[in-house]
């Protein structure tokens, strides 16, 4: 990867009884691909509290990225969700892949209550919709390993203080997962997901000052 | 088309302010394609009460199909919906493309209250899920032009009495439609839709006696 | 009950693991109450294919009603649903209270595919909304015991041919059920349900020709 | 109110085209009521960025409460939502009642990214469900005036540093609002809301150390 800037894309291993995780399938399809002047490095994270952040920090140390985007599965959502904020709490509705189910413990002891994404989240949503990819801003990344790694990422980047930007994107099930799920679960095809992530990265690299466009919710 | 049996696939023109209709995009991709020994003929129907049934009857007279599958857009649904039943009522929540909005009038005066699909709906859902395409049986095709043409189709086939089978499949928005829609609308990519319709046709041609598998709903 | 006309209100026993059924709680609160010149007779039906229709026919023979309204639980719905149509199929997603789970068998062998409600469904929805009770027309009563008894009712009334009217209303969970349910289940308080049923009956007794107001759905 | 501790309950004026706000209807029903040793003081807040926090601070100065619970309308939700966290951003999807629609501006310049509720949120959810009131923890209060006042409240209490606790509860539409809304909107009856708020207050007054029970979400 020589001197080209690196975009680190982190996806997750399967969890919750699934045999596949759309986040890993989507990010690995971009591994080694160029994005403007940069090149993408995709890495798989364990769906385990604590170990996920360690793996992410190791990948950051290894790849020295200028941009870090973590991606996770949000079963039940219809759109790509560009997350706005990570909160300092772990509260597992289910156990993680190592059997741990923390309840109301902080991600980082004495850390701030939350970190905001430093991605241009409005510009990303705008670019995705323009490209025909359903997307919206989300104001909660939940309280499971996705929020955990998102908080850990933003905490690590804040401590580095070198301006490296980062954030989190939740994506729907793949069609093959929705086909097996009970009920009427929405999904997104892998090519749409890969196309969407490519646009999100390009937008994040290109846009320094975010758009002033509402992405808010009343509740 | 010589002596090969014909599968008539009917899709709709756009309606309700949309500039595209996924049903026409999906069925026209299969026009002229083989399906087993048969060949597909795709035709576009107007989203107009009355005229839709006339256009369908003309297409049946023209193509002399052994199987007829009508396909329509169901904005808000996440899965391919294999419709079970058409009811003898028009009740437009919006006006059709000719400005008509019938309320509680029969599709066919003195027609029976309903017709059941003669497709093997359970076998189709089973085959779609096996192929990784989200699908389920639906017990209502609504009361707009989709239900209207479905009822008209089954009424026409019943009068012919030659065993030609037919039915209706509702499909989600395309991603580009969901990207423009307000709210968190589910969608399905065009290749998934085309793949799903191909499987539905093949299953309908191959299966004479439907699977005995629940596809029911409590309410 | 002497010479006053009788409105027969049928509710169901609990099913599907519930210990209470809002339909029985609501209808029994109206038992013996006047509605205009008429009086309400409430009866509980078993949640059992076959036996439900037998119990309803016995209650009709006993009470000789001028109006019959069956009421059932629709867990997951937010509003009172005035059902438009009953279809001639049993397709149990779960077993009934006697352990039977019919799949794709007719409610009545050689019966018509469907019967429409003979209640003024649009006028009822209009009156309920005016009174502040959330309500809408529904185009499917499912394929479980609710649709079964609704079809059985309309078949029995059609054979009598004396103009007795009937129909079916689906109602949400009670709050106490939703409080125990997984997920974010909507509910309706018992006083709202009782108030709504009272309005529905009064409207059905008063209105002979239904309103011409859309209650349709696109899909 | 003499020497009895005061619980300040803040509800909102109507917004978004509504003529009623369930939060004000519910809290005013408790005004002057006892809750254990304490007494409730209910106050109405304007649905206006900035002015809402000023009104709340004035009410705190006036009533010197030991507990402050703000309550707001969450149209579309089915349950009472006990909010976990307030974030430092205003992002109006619609304009407030004074016509302002801030986008991505902080509630408090240089304030922390978020504050956690200091109510025992898990104990409140547990007590509500036990009492048959549908309830859950929510991880987002949106980005409109509800989140705004919630953040302002927690910021004010943090600066006082006297241990006064506070938090926010979102509640569904009233049935009469849902009856007028498009679509299938869930609602909750006023007596259920009042009963639920009474339980929430009692629980907040009685419980110092929250339950360790999962209330988390995966996404």
């Amino acid at each position: 990867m020589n001197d080209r800037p690196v975009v680190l894309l982190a996806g997750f291993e399967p969890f919750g009884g699934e045999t596949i995780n759309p986040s890993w399938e989507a990010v690995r399809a971009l591994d080694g691909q160029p994005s403007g002047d940069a090149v993408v490095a995709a890495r798989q994270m364990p769906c385990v509290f604590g170990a996920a952040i360690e793996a992410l920090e190791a990948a950051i140390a290894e790849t020295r990225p200028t941009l870090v985007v973590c991606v996770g599965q949000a079963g039940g959502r219809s759109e790509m969700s560009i997350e706005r904020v990570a909160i300092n709490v772990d509260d597992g509705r289910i156990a993680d892949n190592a059997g741990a189910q923390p309840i109301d413990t902080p991600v980082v002891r004495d850390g701030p209550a939350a970190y905001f994404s430093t991605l241009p989240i409005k510009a990303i949503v705008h670019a995705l919709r323009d490209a025909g990819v359903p997307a919206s801003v989300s104001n909660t990344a939940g309280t499971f390993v996705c929020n955990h790694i998102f908080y850990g990422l933003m905490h690590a980047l804040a401590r580095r203080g070198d301006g490296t930007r980062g954030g989190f994107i939740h994506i729907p099930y793949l069609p093959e997962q929705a086909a097996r799920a009970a009920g009427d679960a929405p999904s997104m095809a892998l090519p749409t997901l890969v196309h969407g992530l490519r646009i999100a990265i390009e937008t994040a690299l290109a846009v320094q000052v975010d758009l002033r466009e509402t992405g808010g919710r009343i509740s």
Side-chain angles (χ1 to χ4, degrees), chain A residues 4-106:
Chain A
R4 301 176 67 183
V6 171
V7 175
L8 175 59
L9 265 188
F12 277 100
E13 66 182 6
F15 69 95
E18 296 287 338
T19 56
I20 197 171
N21 189 314
S23 67
W24 174 238
E25 300 307 315
V27 306
R28 77 173 180 174
L30 291 168
D31 189 42
Q33 298 275 311
S35 178
D37 295 334
V39 63
V40 173
R43 295 291 181 275
Q44 192 187 66
M45 303 290 124
C47 187
V48 175
F49 287 104
I53 293 178
E54 289 165 23
L56 182 65
E57 290 184 339
I60 290 172
E62 174 212 347
T63 60
R64 301 169 174 259
T66 57
L67 179 69
V68 186
V69 179
C70 296
V71 184
Q73 165 189 309
R77 296 198 191 175
S78 300
E79 304 185 317
M80 294 188 71
S81 298
I82 317 305
E83 296 292 348
R84 190 196 292 264
V85 63
I87 61 175
N88 192 16
V89 69
D90 293 330
D91 187 1
R93 193 174 63 71
I94 60 173
D96 69 15
N97 282 359
Q101 188 180 3
I103 295 180
D104 294 348
T105 52

Side-chain angles (χ1 to χ4, degrees), chain A residues 114-201:
Chain A
Y115 284 105
F116 286 107
S117 173
T118 48
L119 302 181
I121 60 174
K122 302 296 182 70
I124 291 173
V125 168
H126 190 98
L128 286 169
R129 289 181 180 170
D130 270 1
V133 179
S136 60
V137 171
S138 164
N139 296 306
T140 173
T143 57
F144 194 54
V145 183
C146 286
N147 172 75
H148 178 83
I149 203 170
F150 180 18
Y151 186 95
L153 166 65
M154 301 316 297
H155 188 68
L157 296 183
R159 282 186 303 177
R160 287 163 65 103
D162 61 358
T164 304
R165 292 191 297 165
F168 195 95
I169 298 179
H170 261 123
I171 60 178
Y173 280 138
L174 291 168
E176 64 205 79
Q177 295 178 286
R180 286 188 303 260
D184 187 43
S187 61
M188 195 170 275
L190 187 56
T192 310
L193 291 170
V194 173
H195 182 52
L197 287 182
R198 197 188 301 268
I199 290 166
I201 293 168

